[in-house]
Amino acid sequence: MATKQEIIESINAGIGRVEQTFGSLSDEQLEQKVHDADGGWTAKQILAHLAGRQGSYDAIVAMAQGSAPPFTSGVDDWNQQAVDQRIGMSRDELLNEFRQVHQGLIERVRGMDDGLLSAIIELPRGSAAVSDVLAGSGGRHSITHSGEVEAALGLSAPGE
């Protein structure tokens, strides 16, 4: 189980990587397709996906509190809806929303008790502790998508 500090560090690492990767992309780079499966997503659509994570974090906490059913299907549709709602936004607007959502998640984690963080929830890939889900979804997920964009655009990852 990830500690509060580990969750916060993961989220902060994700914020830094997304800002570094997407903050310098040109309009042309933002429109380049990164994913080929299921119609594919452009770099901008990936950023819109990352900016639209608030609902996912709300659902994770609600499941842990027992006020929402397990989220075991429909994830792709959920993600696409968040992208579609944001695709008209500029890169800077998306980065701002991303930053606000993830800084808000850090504050939320700081206020969570250990019982909630250790709660086990059911997700499409199996069960996991809320703390591990938030560390992964709030941080590593952002880093992974940033890496995909960097690779697709032939950019060096930070520190390389």
Side-chain angles (χ1 to χ4, degrees):
M1 182 177 111
T3 66
K4 282 186 184 184
Q5 188 58 38
E6 290 168 337
I7 298 166
I8 292 167
E9 287 172 4
S10 180
I11 296 167
N12 276 326
I15 292 169
R17 183 72 173 268
V18 166
E19 288 180 341
Q20 187 170 15
T21 300
F22 291 90
S24 63
L25 296 183
S26 68
D27 290 340
E28 293 79 24
Q29 289 172 314
L30 285 167
E31 294 306 320
Q32 186 167 335
K33 190 174 274 193
V34 174
H35 288 160
D36 287 325
D38 299 323
W41 273 354
T42 64
K44 184 178 180 183
Q45 288 171 309
I46 290 174
L47 180 56
H49 162 65
L50 294 172
R53 303 282 296 155
Q54 182 68 53
S56 297
Y57 303 139
D58 292 344
I60 290 165
V61 173
M63 283 186 282
Q65 293 170 328
S67 60
F71 195 45
T72 56
S73 64
V75 173
D76 291 340
D77 291 338
W78 172 286
N79 287 335
Q80 188 63 54
Q81 183 178 25
V83 170
D84 292 345
Q85 290 171 348
R86 288 165 180 79
I87 201 59
M89 296 170 69
S90 71
R91 178 201 53 214
D92 292 341
E93 290 170 328
L94 291 168
L95 281 170
N96 186 50
E97 181 179 3
F98 171 82
R99 189 178 312 106
Q100 288 177 351
V101 165
H102 289 82
Q103 288 172 343
L105 180 59
I106 288 171
E107 291 309 310
R108 191 174 203 175
V109 167
R110 285 188 174 124
M112 294 173 82
D113 65 43
D114 289 338
L116 191 59
L117 287 171
S118 64
I120 304 298
I121 59 173
E122 294 296 322
L123 298 169
R125 293 190 177 115
S127 58
V130 169
S131 63
D132 293 333
V133 174
L134 293 177
S137 186
R140 291 185 300 270
H141 186 78
S142 299
I143 292 168
T144 297
H145 278 310
S146 295
E148 291 172 338
V149 168
E150 293 157 2
L153 299 178
L155 305 173
S156 297
E160 288 184 1

